[in-house]
């Protein structure tokens, strides 16, 4: 949670918003959830009007409160352990401008991508602290795209500590909720979008940037935003943002079902990322367990703990580690998040069984008489796992395709072997790989048989000019963007590696297959080096690697005005799957910037 930044005539915003009344511009929650029958009471929305009677969703309506899964709090704590380890490896902090934050983004992103989410890193190109890493946005690609429920937390810590309650707790709870949603594959009535925000501790800057980047149409799709900041405070209470609003009702209903008697989160008003959404007229709520305010005697009698002591005695300190976590409160919070998500966005109908199909690699090149292999992978995309039979078509004369095994249970994989004979004619052949279960899916594998015309010259790197977001680059992709202070070689975007002026490392990676049968493979890239270093000693460096092999090293001594094109011969890697890496490393003082643009890997 950010230190309070809004002061009006010497009175904090917490006082101004203490009554939990949102700005009049905020839109009421669409299709509000019903109050559980056992706790029926008259409830009014923010404008003081009675809530509308919920309407059934097409295809079966909303799920009941008790239909949500019980999230395994031990898995949430395992994420917290990893975030704590990341901070330890990076000077005890995960502040937004440091490597600890970028490593946190990479950890969360990797889990989400493996689970099937559409994941985007959004560089904060204005309003954030210098060097701040990106926002991370993940959307589950099912449900009505015009109705979005968003769940968010800030992923950064203060510079003084690792931030495991503030706000590893919210971040880890959202991550495990997202992974559970992907594992369950329920039928979705609405879209669910998760956000992990950068630079919250410097003034809600990452969420401000995200909300301001949305068009009015995209904002209108977000029916409610739920924020989770410090949900495991050791002497905490049970607080809900705008507890009387329509948006808060499913969250309150869950904590009411546990007999917790939650209260309004007056301490947190205007101090976390939900405020960015409120200012845009989006309905908000969320859970919190308290920061540096003190627990009252009445709260201690109701919830336990120590009266007249702060909710989190390690707030914004180095002791905010995994030892500063209230596991019971964390468990109640994450289960309430899941209950809210399921009730708002999950449909009640049983999803049909379905699966996906993919090959890796997607292409192979062989001499006549040789064989190529590829792994055919499947995944259950809805419903239950099913048996998938594999086959292939489109093979030319002299080519046979076999699978081991010939059928799999969705979620499993098979090895596809494509065998040629000495009489197979050279050329490039698209093969259609088919998986047949309750439905049928296909994917394409491209076979190249070498010989006359066996190599087609092509450029292999994707998004080498960085104009199309960050995909498929991996690593410190927050370096990619249209940053102020440097310019692109072509277009408007580039990768700015280094430039911090303190010990830091930035890395960008991309994996490609260099086709067999080609005579030459050449890497070209444009690099601009500027530096505050002087003299002829290489203090700061940028290395280009294939795998673990360093192909070239440049340094601050190569600084020059403008970009210089660099060329490397990658012909020794023809016929191989390689990972190309650019790594910039700075020492403890004086910046060196290595600005990369318009990279290409050409075969011929």
């Amino acid at each position: 949670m950010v230190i309070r930044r809004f002061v009006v005539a010497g009175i904090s915003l917490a006082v101004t918003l203490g009554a939990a009344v949102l700005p009049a511009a905020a839109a009421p929650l669409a299709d509000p959830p019903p109050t559980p029958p056992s706790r029926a009471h008259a409830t009014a929305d923010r404008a003081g009007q009675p809530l509308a009677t919920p309407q059934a969703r097409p295809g079966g309506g909303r799920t009941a409160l008790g239909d949500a899964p019980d999230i395994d709090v031990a898995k949430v704590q395992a994420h917290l352990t990893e975030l704590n380890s990341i901070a330890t490896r990076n000077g005890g902090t995960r502040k937004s401008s440091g490597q600890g934050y970028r490593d946190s983004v990479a950890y969360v992103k990797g889990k989400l991508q493996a689970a099937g989410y559409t994941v985007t890193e959004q560089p904060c190109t204005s309003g954030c602290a210098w060097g701040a890493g990106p926002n991370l946005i993940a959307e589950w690609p099912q449900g009505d795209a015009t109705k979005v429920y968003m769940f968010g937390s800030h992923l950064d810590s203060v510079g003084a500590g690792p931030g495991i309650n503030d706000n590893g707790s919210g971040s880890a709870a959202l991550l495990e909720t997202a992974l559970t949603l992907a594992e369950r594959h329920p039928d979705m009535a609405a879209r669910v979008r998760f956000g992990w925000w950068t630079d919250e501790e410097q003034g809600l800057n990452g969420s401000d940037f995200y909300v301001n980047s949305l068009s009015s149409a995209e904002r209108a799709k977000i029916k409610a935003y739920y924020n989770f900041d410090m949900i495991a405070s050791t002497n905490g209470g049970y607080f809900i943002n705008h507890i009387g609003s329509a948006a808060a009702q499913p969250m309150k209903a869950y904590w009411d079902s546990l007999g917790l008697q939650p209260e309004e989160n007056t301490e947190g008003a205007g101090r976390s990322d939900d405020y960015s959404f409120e200012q845009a007229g989006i309905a908000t709520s969320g859970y919190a367990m308290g920061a540096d305010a003190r627990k009252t005697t009445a709260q201690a009698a109701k919830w336990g703990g120590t009266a007249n002591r702060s909710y989190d005695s390690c707030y914004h300190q180095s002791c905010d580690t995994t030892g500063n976590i209230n596991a019971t409160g964390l468990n109640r919070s994450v289960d309430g998040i899941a209950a809210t998500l399921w009730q708002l966005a999950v449909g009640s109908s049983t999803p049909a069984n379905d699966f996906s199909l993919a090959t890796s690699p997607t292409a192979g090149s062989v001499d006549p008489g040789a064989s190529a292999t590829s792994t055919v992978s499947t995944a259950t995309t809805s419903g239950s796992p099913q048996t998938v039979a594999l086959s292939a078509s489109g093979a030319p004369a002299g080519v046979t395709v076999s699978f081991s095994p010939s059928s799999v249970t969705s979620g499993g994989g098979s090895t596809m072997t494509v065998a040629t004979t000495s009489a197979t004619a050279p050329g490039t052949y698209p093969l259609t790989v088919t998986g047949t279960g309750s439905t049928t899916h296909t994917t394409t594998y491209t076979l190249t048989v070498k010989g006359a015309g066996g190599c087609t010259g092509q450029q292999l790197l994707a998004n080498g000019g960085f104009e199309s977001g960050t995909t498929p680059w991996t690593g410190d992709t927050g370096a990619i963007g249209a940053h102020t202070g440097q310019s692109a070689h072509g277009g408007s975007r580039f990768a700015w590696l280094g430039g911090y002026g303190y010990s830091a490392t930035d890395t960008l990676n991309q994996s490609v297959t260099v086709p067999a049968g080609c005579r030459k493979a050449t890497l070209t890239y444009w690099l601009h080096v500027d530096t505050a270093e002087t003299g002829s000693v290489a203090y700061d460096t940028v290395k280009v690697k294939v795998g673990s092999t360093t192909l070239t090293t440049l340094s601050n001594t190569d600084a020059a005005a403008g970009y210089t094109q660099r060329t490397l011969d990658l012909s020794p890697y023809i016929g191989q799957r390689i990972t190309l890496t650019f790594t910039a490393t700075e020492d403890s003082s004086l910046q060196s910037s290595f600005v990369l643009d318009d990279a290409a890997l050409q075969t011929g």
Side-chain angles (χ1 to χ4, degrees):
M1 181 186 293
V2 70
I3 294 175
R4 194 182 317 275
R5 66 169 183 167
F6 303 100
V7 177
V8 181
I11 303 174
S12 73
L13 186 66
V15 175
T16 305
L17 298 182
V21 178
L22 292 181
L29 178 67
D31 194 11
T35 303
S38 62
R39 298 181 180 270
H41 59 281
T43 305
D45 67 10
R46 286 182 297 233
Q49 299 300 317
L51 295 180
T53 301
Q55 300 300 311
R57 297 183 187 276
R62 67 180 70 250
T63 60
L65 183 68
D67 291 341
D70 181 4
I71 306 295
D72 187 347
V73 73
K75 293 182 178 179
V76 181
Q77 291 175 294
H79 299 315
L80 292 177
T81 298
E82 180 57 30
L83 293 176
N84 199 94
S85 297
I86 288 171
T88 300
R89 295 194 296 268
N90 290 280
T93 181
R94 297 183 301 105
K95 62 183 180 181
S96 63
S97 59
Q99 187 64 38
Y101 177 78
R102 293 192 290 274
D103 287 353
S104 299
V105 170
Y107 173 74
V108 175
K109 180 180 180 181
K111 295 285 187 182
L112 295 166
Q113 285 182 321
Y117 278 84
T118 302
V119 186
T120 304
E121 289 186 35
Q122 182 194 42
C124 184
T125 56
S126 65
C128 286
W130 191 91
N135 290 324
L136 187 67
I137 311 298
E139 184 160 319
W140 187 239
Q142 295 182 27
D144 183 353
T146 67
K147 181 179 287 188
V148 177
Y149 292 97
M150 194 161 185
F151 297 75
S153 64
H154 72 89
L155 187 53
D156 64 319
S157 74
V158 294
I164 300 306
N165 184 36
D166 185 14
N167 183 37
S169 61
S171 295
L174 287 191
L175 175 57
E176 191 55 37
T177 302
L179 297 179
T180 302
L181 177 65
E183 181 182 3
R184 294 296 181 97
H185 278 288
D187 177 49
M188 302 300 295
R191 286 292 174 100
V192 174
R193 185 180 303 160
F194 296 91
W196 286 266
W197 309 119
T198 187
D199 218 33
E200 187 269 1
E201 297 291 4
Q202 304 303 314
L204 318 184
N205 298 325
S207 56
D208 275 349
F209 180 81
Y210 174 80
V211 173
N212 290 333
S213 72
L214 297 173
S215 66
S216 58
E218 288 301 315
R219 289 184 187 182
K221 293 177 182 178
I222 301 175
K223 304 309 176 184
Y225 169 80
Y226 294 90
N227 195 68
F228 305 96
D229 192 350
M230 302 182 68
I231 58 171
S233 304
T234 52
N235 192 43
Y238 294 93
F239 303 108
I240 298 177
N241 304 342
H242 309 302
I243 194 168
S245 69
Q249 290 315 296
M251 310 202 77
K252 183 177 184 300
Y254 182 77
W255 273 2
D256 281 348
S257 74
L258 302 181
L260 295 177
Q261 304 175 59
E263 298 179 3
E264 174 62 40
N265 182 19
T266 55
E267 181 194 18
R271 292 179 62 179
S272 196
D273 296 293
D274 53 311
Y275 190 69
S276 301
F277 289 81
E278 287 180 29
Q279 292 295 92
I282 296 170
T284 67
S285 188
Y287 284 148
M289 291 193 69
D292 54 349
R294 295 181 180 273
K295 178 173 281 188
T296 68
T297 300
Q299 289 171 342
K302 178 168 58 171
W303 295 323
T306 304
N308 201 34
R309 177 183 171 189
S310 61
Y311 300 118
D312 181 356
S313 59
C314 286
Y315 176 62
H316 283 188
Q317 298 177 53
S318 61
C319 58
D320 188 9
T321 66
T322 50
N324 188 46
I325 291 296
N326 176 346
T328 299
L330 181 65
N331 190 30
R332 290 167 171 172
S333 296
V334 71
D335 285 342
I337 294 170
T340 300
L341 187 158
W342 250 254
Q343 188 167 353
L344 293 174
V346 174
S348 61
S349 61
T350 302
N353 295 341
D354 204 356
F355 66 95
S356 63
L357 183 74
T359 58
S360 180
T362 59
S365 182
V366 298
D367 292 313
S371 298
T373 61
S374 178
T375 297
V376 180
S377 59
T378 63
T380 302
T381 57
S382 66
S384 302
Q386 61 181 293
T387 300
V388 179
L390 302 173
S391 60
S393 59
V399 173
T400 58
V401 182
S402 60
F403 299 88
S404 180
S406 59
S407 64
V408 297
T409 300
S410 56
S414 174
T415 299
M416 178 178 70
T417 300
V418 183
T420 68
T421 67
S422 59
T424 303
T428 299
Y429 306 99
L431 309 180
T432 299
V433 181
T434 300
T436 303
S438 59
T439 58
T440 298
H441 293 282
T442 63
T443 188
T444 300
Y445 176 85
T446 302
L447 172 69
T448 298
V449 181
K450 291 184 287 185
C455 174
T456 300
Q458 56 184 311
Q459 199 287 106
L460 302 177
L461 282 184
N463 195 22
F466 307 109
E467 299 299 320
S468 303
T470 61
T471 306
W473 295 96
T474 60
D476 298 308
T477 53
I480 297 172
H483 305 292
T484 302
Q486 296 289 347
S487 58
H489 174 261
S492 62
R493 291 162 57 85
F494 49 87
W496 186 347
L497 307 179
Y500 300 104
Y502 54 81
S503 296
T505 300
D506 279 333
T507 298
L508 286 179
N509 312 281
Q510 186 174 148
S511 296
V512 298
T513 298
V514 185
C518 297
R519 294 178 293 105
K520 192 169 183 65
T522 304
L523 173 68
T524 59
Y525 59 96
W526 292 85
L527 186 70
H528 169 54
V529 182
D530 71 48
T531 185
E533 304 279 9
T534 59
S536 58
V537 177
Y539 296 107
D540 309 316
T541 62
V542 61
K543 295 183 178 181
V544 184
K545 295 182 178 181
V546 170
S548 61
T549 302
T550 300
L551 304 182
T552 187
T553 301
L554 300 167
S555 72
N556 51 277
T557 64
D558 296 291
Y563 280 86
T564 301
Q565 188 177 38
R566 308 282 178 172
T567 302
L568 292 170
D569 182 16
L570 269 58
S571 299
Y573 300 96
I574 288 172
Q576 299 182 35
R577 179 75 173 173
I578 64 171
T579 298
L580 178 67
T581 303
F582 295 88
T583 300
T585 304
E586 289 187 275
D587 68 358
S588 59
S589 64
L590 299 179
Q591 75 86 23
S592 291
S593 295
F594 302 95
V595 188
L596 175 69
D597 203 358
D598 293 333
L601 177 50
Q602 182 68 44
T603 62

